[in-house]
Amino acid sequence: MNYEFISYDEYSGHKRVNFKLNGRDSLVVRPSKPLPGNPVAWRAEFFGAFDSVDRALLERGWHLCYHRVSDMYGCPESIKLMREFHEFVSETFGLGRTVLFGFSRGGLYSVNYAAAYPESVAGLYLDAPVLDIRSWPCSEKSRRETAECMKLYHLTDDTLAAFSDNPIDKAAAVAHIPTIIVAGDSDKTVPYSENGAVFAPRFTAAGGKLEVILKPGCDHHPHSLDDPTPVVQFIEENCL
């Protein structure tokens, strides 16, 4: 793998290492007082956005990490790239098992990665997550994202309806991984009824440990919670 160091700086008062791995922007934030085993919260997308949970865990001794695989919609090739990154940071920085943070389209990456490498994932935090590409972005045929996504998954208009390799189809496969979902019940961009509400009963029917926090009247934004305590407590109680 091709590693290129970029710089050191700070994130929320803790040391951040910025680098490129195989040409892709990457980072690891090291807490001032790391927990035993170096657990890590891995943002699949949108590092630094609505990051109350990230910062709270960092203060409690969790590492943070991010690797840019944007505009790949959790396709199989993106999961391979994520695996290369995960193996690299685990060996180079001594990081332990990860909790994947799937915000919006990051839900595609997070669940697909967990299904492919379940032994490496200690938990899932899914926030207004996309869990079915037919809900987003492939519900609108004129979008740039639609064309990108369908090309990456080798789909056509004729094959899209029968596509069965979405995160909602993998709920049982990841049911051993503790999962928390936070979403708005009025999300018009990524409707909860088409994503989390389909995933959740399949996950629990397979015996999964799941907590769902629905925000009344909330659209796709803002993500997360003003008070991150419920998410942090779930992660600390179930994913360490």
Side-chain angles (χ1 to χ4, degrees):
M1 281 183 278
N2 182 17
Y3 168 79
E4 179 188 356
F5 170 78
I6 301 298
S7 65
Y8 291 118
D9 58 16
E10 288 192 350
Y11 177 82
S12 194
H14 299 263
K15 187 176 183 179
R16 180 168 72 179
V17 185
N18 304 294
F19 59 96
K20 288 185 181 290
L21 188 67
N22 296 330
R24 295 180 175 274
D25 293 339
S26 309
L27 63 88
V28 170
V29 183
R30 291 178 160 177
S32 301
K33 296 180 180 180
L35 287 169
N38 293 332
V40 56
W42 178 2
R43 269 288 189 121
E45 262 290 20
F46 310 116
F47 184 84
F50 304 101
D51 59 352
S52 60
V53 176
D54 314 54
R55 292 175 183 269
L57 288 175
L58 183 60
E59 291 300 318
R60 287 161 169 76
W62 287 67
H63 286 70
L64 306 179
C65 71
Y66 172 70
H67 181 60
R68 185 179 294 279
V69 287
S70 299
D71 301 325
M72 297 187 75
Y73 309 95
C75 72
E77 182 58 31
S78 72
I79 303 306
K80 293 178 183 178
L81 296 172
M82 291 173 70
R83 186 59 176 175
E84 292 177 355
F85 169 76
H86 196 186
E87 290 179 336
F88 176 81
V89 295
S90 296
E91 179 178 347
T92 304
F93 296 92
L95 301 186
R97 294 175 73 210
T98 186
V99 174
L100 273 161
F101 284 24
F103 278 51
S104 192
R105 70 184 69 182
L108 296 170
Y109 298 97
S110 298
V111 176
N112 286 345
Y113 186 86
Y117 301 102
E119 72 286 350
S120 299
V121 179
L124 291 167
Y125 164 33
L126 307 176
D127 198 295
V130 180
L131 300 174
D132 186 340
I133 61 171
R134 294 168 300 187
S135 175
W136 188 95
C138 296
S139 60
E140 300 182 40
K141 296 297 185 287
S142 63
R143 296 177 63 97
R144 170 185 62 82
E145 293 93 339
T146 303
E148 288 177 341
C149 184
M150 292 182 68
K151 182 178 181 180
L152 286 163
Y153 280 94
H154 308 289
L155 293 169
T156 66
D157 290 343
D158 292 333
T159 60
L160 176 63
F163 181 66
S164 60
D165 198 27
N166 277 297
I168 59 169
D169 302 305
K170 301 173 184 178
V174 299
H176 63 289
I177 299 173
T179 297
I180 183 167
I181 297 175
V182 176
D185 68 359
S186 301
D187 191 330
K188 293 184 287 292
T189 303
V190 183
Y192 181 73
S193 61
E194 299 173 2
N195 293 274
V198 179
F199 179 89
R202 296 179 181 182
F203 184 90
T204 54
K209 169 75 173 182
L210 177 68
E211 182 170 335
V212 176
I213 300 175
L214 284 180
K215 299 179 288 185
C218 184
D219 201 345
H220 193 59
H221 290 151
H223 286 286
S224 200
L225 301 171
D226 292 334
D227 178 2
T229 301
V231 180
V232 171
Q233 286 183 343
F234 180 90
I235 291 172
E236 289 185 327
E237 291 173 2
N238 296 282
C239 307
L240 279 174

